[in-house]
């Protein structure tokens, strides 16, 4: 979008928050960059230049605006709606791969050479992978400086900087303030007192509107005992992270998602935030999604009634694939029971930082589940075979699932496994891989909704009708599911 100057100028002049994260406005005369909705008086058109990322602005020598804080805007929804190399690279960078494995590790995961990755990112984003990772570190650092009481050394470590000197230099360069000055300027107004000692309290921004009912309702209704729970107005779960483990509590608020994190290693902070944002689909563009779905007169009333529905995802694609198999042709309660038995037998114990909490384990890794005895599973023989084959493929790496997956390649590999039909493959594509166009025409809830609304009742005919909903069919599924009284559609009391 940043190449469409007229459209960008209109967005800046109208201070349209819908475009925050889509592009950034760099002002040549002041040397700062802003989000489109910056409350300051818009600069003259001839003084504006539009760039696709905060990293590109920083690389060009611009500093972040102190009023609109462009580094804290929601991420571009473009990376969640695409599965090409650039989008997959962005999702991996957000997941901390460059900090852990360097640019060569990023290139290996994408299946390209380092030079190709750098060329593609520079061409589309105006910055290479190192600059993009540096911008993310700066954003995390600012977040911790302004919202926590952590010492600066711990913040530098948590944000992924290799030294205190690099941390200080980057913060000064990006924000035109020293770390101590940033904290002093923030004062106590933006600090959040954690409900549980030893946790970090944050605010996760999103593009409005956001309907929390099906988002948190789905996560709470399908929660696996010991791994997830809904308590005191928050969805809580355990996290397996690259450097350690964590526990997160996420609560819907009018203008943000409250996030409390307890981590065994602070280096996991950026990754944990990224995975929570991914799980809650916070970087989506609800205006674009809802506008497309409203074009269908039978869907329009559902969208108008409760706009801003998100797709509830997962923090661990392999975990969700296992749970999808356990949920084949059984009720939500039965699927939770099967998963809870696996957790009790093969999950890694963790300590809940909240003494009143009920979180006890991480969901078992594929490697741990590879040792399970099929005879111990209270499942039909065919589903035991499906589960053990899936676990084996996940454990040996022949079925890689994650934010970097190519959606069609992953579908083909899943469909090649015994017991995998369209429903299982598509629900994994939707909730584990994040494909916004995944569709479940054979799902019982979708078919019931279709019949009630007067949509075609058969999967083939419904798929043909849904061509007009593309590329947002996964969001259409959320609106169709919402016609049912199932607990997944309601925010827990």
């Amino acid at each position: 979008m940043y190449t469409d100057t007229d459209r960008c100028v209109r967005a800046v002049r109208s201070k349209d928050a819908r475009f925050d994260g889509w592009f950034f406005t760099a002002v040549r005369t002041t040397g700062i960059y802003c989000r489109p909705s910056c409350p300051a008086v818009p600069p003259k058109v001839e003084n504006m230049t539009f760039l696709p990322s905060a990293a590109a602005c920083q690389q060009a020598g611009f500093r972040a605006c102190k009023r609109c804080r462009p580094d804290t805007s929601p991420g571009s929804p473009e990376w969640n709606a695409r599965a090409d190399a650039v989008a997959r690279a962005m999702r991996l960078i957000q997941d901390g791969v460059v900090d852990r494995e360097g640019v060569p590790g990023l290139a290996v995961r994408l299946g390209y050479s380092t030079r190709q990755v750098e060329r593609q990112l520079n061409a589309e984003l105006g910055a290479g992978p190192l600059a993009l990772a540096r911008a993310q570190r700066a954003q995390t650092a600012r977040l911790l400086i302004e919202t926590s009481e952590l010492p600066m050394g711990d913040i530098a470590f948590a944000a992924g900087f290799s030294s205190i000197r690099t941390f200080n230099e980057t913060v000064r360069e990006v924000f035109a303030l020293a770390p101590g000055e940033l904290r002093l300027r923030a004062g106590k107004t933006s600090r959040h007192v954690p409900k549980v000692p030893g946790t970090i309290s944050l605010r996760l921004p999103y593009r409005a509107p956001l309907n929390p009912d099906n988002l948190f309702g789905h996560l709470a209704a399908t929660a696996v005992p010991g791994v997830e729970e809904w308590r005191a107005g928050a969805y809580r779960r355990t996290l397996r992270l690259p450097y350690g483990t964590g526990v997160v509590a996420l609560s819907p608020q009018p203008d943000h998602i409250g996030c409390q994190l307890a981590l065994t290693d602070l280096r996991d902070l950026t990754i944990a935030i990224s995975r929570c944002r991914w799980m809650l689909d916070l970087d989506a563009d609800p205006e674009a999604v809802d506008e497309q779905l409203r074009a269908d007169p039978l869907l329009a009333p559902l969208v108008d009634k409760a706009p801003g529905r998100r797709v509830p995802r997962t923090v661990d694609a392999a975990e969700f694939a296992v749970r999808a198999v356990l949920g084949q042709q059984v009720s939500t309660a039965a699927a939770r029971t099967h998963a809870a038995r696996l957790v009790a037998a093969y999950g890694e114990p963790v300590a809940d930082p909240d003494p009143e909490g009920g979180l006890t384990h991480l969901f078992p890794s594929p490697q741990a589940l590879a040792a399970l005895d099929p005879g111990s599973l209270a499942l039909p023989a065919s589903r035991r075979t499906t589960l053990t084959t899936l676990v084996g493929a996940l454990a040996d790496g022949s079925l890689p699932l994650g934010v970097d997956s190519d959606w069609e390649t992953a579908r083909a590999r899943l469909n090649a496994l015994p017991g995998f039909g369209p429903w299982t493959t598509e629900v994994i594509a939707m909730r584990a891989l994040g494909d916004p166009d995944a569709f479940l025409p054979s799902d019982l809830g979708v078919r019931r909704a279709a019949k009630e609304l007067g949509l075609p009742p058969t999967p083939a005919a419904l798929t043909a009708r849904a061509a007009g909903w593309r590329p947002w069919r996964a969001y259409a599924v959320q609106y169709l599911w919402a016609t049912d009284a199932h607990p997944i559609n309601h925010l827990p009391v």
Side-chain angles (χ1 to χ4, degrees):
M1 178 181 173
Y2 75 100
T3 58
D4 188 340
T5 301
D6 291 340
R7 191 180 180 195
C8 290
V9 168
R10 289 197 301 271
V12 170
R13 284 178 170 171
S14 62
K15 305 184 187 302
D16 197 332
R18 292 178 300 169
F19 295 100
D20 289 352
W22 276 102
F23 70 91
F24 296 85
T25 307
V27 186
R28 299 187 187 94
T29 51
T30 61
I32 65 170
Y33 71 95
C34 304
R35 62 170 79 194
S37 64
C38 181
V41 176
K44 295 179 179 179
V45 175
E46 59 266 28
N47 295 330
M48 297 184 202
T49 185
F50 302 108
L51 296 169
S53 65
C57 296
Q58 294 167 18
Q59 193 161 269
F62 293 93
R63 304 185 309 275
C65 175
K66 295 175 184 176
R67 290 191 67 181
C68 70
R69 297 160 54 95
D71 54 303
T72 62
S73 61
S76 172
E78 196 168 4
W79 315 132
N80 288 346
R82 293 164 44 184
D84 57 26
V86 172
R88 290 161 56 209
M90 284 301 297
R91 293 198 287 268
L92 284 170
I93 291 170
Q94 291 166 356
D95 201 48
V97 167
V98 170
D99 290 335
R100 297 194 304 274
E101 304 173 21
V103 179
L106 174 67
V108 167
R109 287 186 179 231
L110 295 172
Y112 291 91
S113 70
T114 299
R115 180 177 295 182
Q116 286 176 307
V117 172
E118 290 179 338
R119 183 171 64 246
Q120 290 187 53
L121 289 173
N122 272 295
E124 187 160 343
L125 291 161
L130 290 176
L132 291 163
R134 176 179 180 266
Q136 181 166 278
R137 287 194 294 272
Q139 177 184 344
T140 302
R142 180 175 189 164
L143 183 69
L144 288 174
I145 290 168
E146 295 183 338
T147 64
S148 78
E149 301 290 345
L150 289 173
M152 294 300 176
D154 289 348
I155 290 175
F157 176 71
F161 289 96
S162 58
S163 68
I164 299 293
R165 179 179 177 180
T166 305
F167 162 71
N168 288 330
E169 290 176 348
T170 300
V171 171
R172 281 182 178 276
E173 182 179 337
V174 174
F175 306 114
L177 291 170
E181 292 172 318
L182 263 182
R183 176 165 282 179
L184 186 63
R185 188 173 184 274
K188 296 182 178 180
T189 57
S190 61
R191 305 270 172 88
H192 309 290
V193 179
K195 296 179 182 178
V196 180
T199 63
I200 299 170
S201 186
L202 311 166
R203 296 162 66 103
L204 305 183
Y206 57 77
R207 288 179 186 82
L210 180 143
N211 188 318
D213 294 2
N214 75 299
L215 180 59
F216 285 92
H218 206 124
L219 295 172
T222 61
V224 177
V227 175
E228 305 165 284
E229 68 175 359
W230 177 269
R231 194 176 64 78
Y235 166 74
R236 305 179 72 242
R237 73 155 292 149
T238 58
L239 302 170
R240 176 180 283 103
L241 299 163
Y243 297 106
T245 63
V247 170
V248 65
L250 299 160
S251 56
Q253 304 298 328
D255 61 350
H256 68 277
I257 299 295
C259 173
Q260 289 203 334
L261 278 164
L263 304 171
T264 58
D265 193 316
L266 283 176
R267 288 178 294 177
D268 284 322
L269 178 64
T270 301
I271 300 124
I273 293 172
S274 175
R275 292 184 182 179
C276 290
R277 293 190 63 82
W278 169 263
M279 176 175 65
L280 300 181
D281 197 14
L282 297 186
D283 291 326
D285 183 353
E287 293 280 354
V289 172
D290 290 352
E291 181 181 4
Q292 177 84 6
L293 299 182
R294 277 194 186 98
D296 189 314
L298 295 182
L299 278 187
L302 301 182
V303 178
D304 292 337
K305 180 181 178 181
R309 292 193 183 277
R310 300 300 206 269
V311 177
R313 296 182 184 152
T314 179
V315 293
D316 187 324
E319 171 190 318
F320 185 82
V322 171
R323 292 172 61 174
V325 170
L326 295 176
Q328 288 178 335
Q329 299 178 346
V330 298
S331 67
T332 299
R336 294 179 67 216
T337 298
H338 290 314
R341 289 171 181 165
L342 289 184
V343 168
Y346 301 99
E348 178 184 337
V350 295
D352 192 329
D354 187 340
E356 298 180 5
L359 303 182
T360 58
H361 290 81
L362 297 174
F363 194 86
S365 68
Q367 291 72 25
L369 290 176
L372 66 81
D373 174 15
S376 66
L377 301 174
L379 299 171
S382 60
R383 198 159 310 142
R384 293 180 194 174
T385 301
T386 300
L387 181 62
T388 53
T389 305
L390 168 68
V391 167
L394 292 169
D396 66 20
S398 60
L399 178 63
L401 296 178
V403 295
D404 58 324
S405 294
D406 177 273
W407 297 330
E408 296 312 314
T409 300
R411 277 184 171 92
R413 289 175 174 169
L414 288 168
N415 283 327
L417 298 176
F420 269 74
W423 182 90
T424 309
T425 297
E426 286 301 304
V427 78
I428 291 172
M430 180 172 69
R431 297 194 55 200
L433 306 183
D435 183 352
D437 202 37
F439 192 48
L440 307 171
S442 63
D443 179 83
L444 181 59
V446 169
R447 294 177 66 183
R448 283 177 177 169
K451 182 178 180 180
E452 181 180 332
L453 295 173
L455 289 164
T458 65
L462 184 57
T463 299
R465 173 62 178 267
W469 306 342
R470 307 190 76 168
W472 309 118
R473 293 185 302 178
Y475 294 87
V477 169
Q478 308 309 312
Y479 283 106
L480 292 173
W481 275 343
T483 62
D484 197 286
H486 196 284
I488 66 169
N489 296 314
H490 305 287
L491 193 68
V493 179

